[in-house]
Amino acid sequence: MRTFGVEEELLIVDPESGEPLALADALLAGHRVAADDLPPDLDVDLDGRRPGKEGAYDDGNGLSAELKLEQIETQTRPCRDHGSLLDQIRAGRALADQAARKHGARVAALATSPVASTSHTTPDPRYARMLERFGLTAQEQLTCGFHVHTYVESPEEGVAVLDRIRDKLAVLTALSANSPFWNGVPTGFESYRTQAWNRWPTAGPAGIYGTYPAYRRVVTRLLDSGVMLDEGMLYFDARLSRNHPTVEVRVADVCLRAGDAALIAVLVRALVESAGREWRDDVDPAPVPTVLLRMASWQASSAGLGGDLLDFGNFRPAPAADVVRSLVDYLAPVLEEQGELALARQGVEDIIARGTGAAEQRRARDKAMAGQPPEDMGFGAVVRQSVHLTMRDALDLAGMEAAPDLLRVRQA
């Protein structure tokens, strides 16, 4: 079984108002977690050994900064099964929340902020150059995604995988949709993060490469264009990782529930394994035009699971639930071999029944708006419920401290 790991971007929020708080540097400065402090069975590498500070996906403390000071990123180590990955996702959320609570804040798995606020760019020379180069796109880019890394044996296999999963990634956007609000405004989208993110010049679906040298030629030409600052700004829906022997799938919103996040990761790993097998069996990638993939991504962002998606078989409209179930059916041989078919089917049915994170956010707002509308138009209630759902099944790490009075390190 291929190893896999994830990165989650979380919002740092005021637990009462729901306002995003620019506390990431304070959280990172005051929080260090050694490998020995992690819960049992969560501190192993690809071969079951304890990693050093250079372990894959591990920056030495389990938390890292992102573009905005209002967000914090957690990383898991490589895992071999759903259960261990779910435990690490839960532990990462607990670690981030523990750090936030020391400053009177909490973390919420929200892909965009429901509450209007002004974001602050992390003080870093590269981020400063991005802000200067990309203006409002960088200034407004307070979005939280969910990135899944899956091991590949070689760059050649990695490119073959990229070519063969590109037509199915929009389904994951719909299944993970968790951003219906943007700065105090209902957007009319289920995943508005996808819309905001795709303003970057290299974001979105890519074409078929064919070979690893061809992939590198595309990267080189993009860099030579002078538009991107560096290779780190290759924001494709899926790409080869710069630092790990993995394919990195980047289309999902961060999920409200840890269980849903682990489900998305299981589906991604099965996609990678299925694509690798097709490559070895000389099955050509589906020659879907990139413009159709962009249409499918837009539709998934718009509809989530609440309407039609473009079916990845023929790219015609079909009920979203049917398209999601079809993806599981396509992956069934691999999922069954890995002992994950039943949990994948159940996980998908659970999301279809209760709705995505976007649906849960809207229900929380509707409840808050019943009767006399609150001054914040219900968005504070959305964040408060989201904190609860983010942390409801997080691991109970020992040593969590009571939250002191709110420490604001920056003002708008």
Side-chain angles (χ1 to χ4, degrees):
M1 294 175 65
R2 297 175 188 268
T3 54
F4 61 157
V6 305
E7 301 163 343
E8 283 199 303
E9 296 166 347
L10 305 170
L11 277 184
I12 307 166
V13 297
D14 185 313
E16 295 301 321
S17 70
E19 177 189 1
L21 300 175
L23 288 169
D25 51 356
L27 268 57
L28 291 169
H31 184 73
R32 293 292 181 268
V33 178
D36 288 342
D37 294 329
L38 290 170
D41 301 325
L42 300 186
D43 54 349
V44 295
D45 66 7
L46 291 169
D47 299 314
R49 297 189 299 268
R50 297 174 67 84
K53 290 186 178 181
E54 300 303 318
Y57 315 120
D58 180 25
D59 66 353
N61 63 15
L63 305 175
S64 62
E66 271 297 329
L67 175 64
K68 295 295 181 176
L69 285 168
E70 288 80 5
Q71 60 188 156
I72 193 91
E73 183 182 272
T74 70
Q75 308 93 24
T76 73
R77 295 188 174 96
C79 300
R80 294 190 181 276
D81 59 72
H82 167 269
S84 60
L85 181 69
L86 178 57
D87 282 349
Q88 286 210 29
I89 291 171
R90 290 169 170 169
R93 293 181 177 205
L95 289 170
D97 197 58
Q98 179 187 57
R101 285 160 60 93
K102 292 178 180 178
H103 298 274
R106 301 296 301 272
V107 296
L110 291 165
T112 56
S113 173
V115 177
S117 68
T118 301
S119 65
H120 303 79
T121 302
T122 299
D124 175 270
R126 178 174 179 267
Y127 291 150
R129 293 196 303 274
M130 288 173 64
L131 191 63
E132 180 180 4
R133 176 72 177 86
F134 297 100
L136 194 62
T137 294
Q139 183 178 324
E140 291 186 342
Q141 196 59 234
L142 179 56
T143 60
C144 294
F146 177 70
H147 303 160
V148 183
H149 288 260
T150 306
Y151 173 79
V152 288
E153 294 182 354
S154 65
E156 289 76 16
E157 183 187 42
V159 170
V161 166
L162 295 179
D163 288 349
R164 288 162 177 79
I165 66 174
R166 58 195 285 273
D167 54 327
K168 304 167 189 74
L169 296 181
V171 183
L172 302 179
T173 299
L175 194 61
S176 66
N178 186 32
S179 46
F181 307 121
W182 173 266
N183 281 326
V185 177
T187 66
F189 287 85
E190 300 295 282
S191 172
Y192 191 72
R193 179 202 64 87
T194 300
Q195 300 295 317
W197 183 255
N198 282 345
R199 291 186 292 179
W200 293 107
T202 59
I208 293 174
Y209 303 106
T211 65
Y212 178 60
Y215 176 86
R216 291 306 310 175
R217 284 195 294 272
V218 170
V219 172
T220 298
R221 293 195 68 178
L222 288 172
L223 291 170
D224 289 347
S225 73
V227 175
M228 298 162 28
L229 298 184
D230 51 44
E231 194 166 332
M233 292 194 69
L234 290 175
Y235 293 150
F236 304 142
D237 286 350
R239 67 184 185 184
L240 300 186
S241 172
R242 291 182 300 157
N243 302 315
H244 309 295
T246 63
V247 162
E248 180 185 3
V249 173
R250 305 164 50 82
V251 296
D253 283 5
V254 69
C255 298
L256 266 180
R257 297 171 182 264
D260 293 352
L263 170 68
I264 296 293
V266 162
L267 295 177
V268 169
R269 178 169 67 166
L271 271 173
V272 172
E273 176 61 23
S274 297
R277 294 181 184 187
E278 290 176 358
W279 173 58
R280 289 189 291 275
D281 291 340
D282 293 324
V283 177
D284 290 335
V288 182
T290 304
V291 66
L292 271 182
L293 299 185
R294 290 188 177 277
M295 194 74 71
S297 174
W298 189 95
Q299 179 65 5
S301 171
S302 174
L305 298 185
D308 286 347
L309 297 178
L310 298 190
D311 187 280
F312 58 87
N314 56 26
F315 283 83
R316 293 175 179 168
D322 293 347
V323 176
V324 173
R325 292 179 181 125
S326 293
L327 179 65
V328 178
D329 290 342
Y330 165 77
L331 299 173
V334 168
L335 290 169
E336 188 167 23
E337 285 182 24
Q338 296 179 166
E340 297 171 335
L341 180 57
L343 73 86
R345 290 200 190 280
Q346 187 60 57
V348 163
E349 293 302 324
D350 288 345
I351 296 177
I352 291 172
R354 87 170 106 83
T356 61
E360 295 198 83
Q361 287 191 53
R362 285 197 306 275
R363 286 198 296 269
R365 181 172 184 254
D366 290 345
K367 182 177 179 180
M369 293 288 287
Q372 184 67 29
E375 290 184 2
D376 66 359
M377 300 301 292
F379 293 120
V382 172
V383 178
R384 289 191 292 273
Q385 175 178 278
S386 298
V387 169
H388 169 71
L389 292 177
T390 299
M391 301 305 301
R392 64 177 297 173
D393 58 356
L395 291 188
D396 185 15
L397 299 183
M400 283 194 173
E401 300 178 7
D405 291 338
L406 182 66
L407 172 62
R408 296 181 185 273
V409 297
R410 279 182 182 78
Q411 299 291 336

